[in-house]
Amino acid sequence: MLGAISGSTPGDAAYVDGDGWFHFVDRLGDRIRRRAENISSYEIESAAALHPAVRECAALGVPSGYESDDDIKLFVALQPGHAWAPEDLLEHLVSLLPHYMVPRYYQAIAALPRTPTNKVMKSELRATAGECWDRKAAGVALRDVARRVGTARGVSPAFKKST
């Protein structure tokens, strides 16, 4: 069962496995509210980290313009020798995540800001200005991406309905 850990830092979410081991999952304050869904930034970051160009990444909610709803922004530090290609990362994420968890904004950065204890400083990322790729401004529809990558992987049921 997922929940706060007694004796841990307030706001940590974790679970205990069958052997009694605690597993840190996310910071409760890092939850993203999107389309009436509570999303763990950890889930998005874990999927993005599977892409070969991603060295480290952090997802966070940014204002969407709708009350109590966030858009998702993904900050990415690239592996050495990889070029920034947000469209490739988008295709990768569409193949792994439900549509409501796929980030709208993508920003390449040199490295994630960290505390002395190596936690990502998401408050600094929120204040980071810089050029980011916006899939909506680029005219990229998730449904089209899902159909394109779905030829090899199977289209997610969320994208099978026609509009």
Side-chain angles (χ1 to χ4, degrees):
M1 180 201 286
L2 185 65
I5 304 172
S6 177
S8 70
T9 304
D12 286 345
Y15 67 93
V16 180
D17 68 16
D19 295 325
W21 289 95
F22 286 89
H23 296 270
F24 173 80
V25 177
D26 205 356
R27 299 277 306 151
L28 295 176
D30 289 345
R31 294 276 179 185
I32 300 166
R33 183 79 173 158
R34 177 90 181 125
R35 306 274 192 237
E37 298 284 344
N38 288 319
I39 301 169
S40 166
S41 59
Y42 176 79
E43 293 180 64
I44 298 166
E45 294 159 0
S46 294
L50 295 173
H51 191 280
V54 175
R55 179 170 41 90
E56 59 181 355
C57 60
L60 50 93
V62 295
S64 69
Y66 296 101
E67 187 175 338
S68 301
D69 192 56
D70 296 319
D71 275 325
I72 303 167
K73 185 172 185 177
L74 185 66
F75 289 87
V76 178
L78 298 173
Q79 292 283 4
H82 285 269
W84 178 234
E87 299 90 346
D88 291 343
L89 184 54
L90 172 64
E91 286 184 4
H92 169 78
L93 292 173
V94 165
S95 73
L96 297 175
L97 296 172
H99 67 94
Y100 61 88
M101 291 176 68
V102 176
R104 174 178 174 175
Y105 303 102
Y106 298 77
Q107 185 169 340
I109 57 175
L112 297 178
R114 295 190 178 270
T115 67
T117 59
N118 209 31
K119 286 188 178 183
V120 175
M121 298 172 66
K122 291 194 175 181
S123 59
E124 281 195 21
L125 289 175
R126 282 185 183 87
T128 300
E131 188 174 322
C132 73
W133 184 75
D134 176 355
R135 66 175 162 79
K136 284 190 178 182
V140 177
L142 286 181
R143 184 176 309 276
D144 295 338
V145 175
R147 286 188 180 122
R148 186 169 58 249
V149 301
T151 57
R153 298 181 185 103
V155 177
S156 166
F159 293 104
K160 287 186 178 178
K161 293 181 181 178
S162 60
T163 56

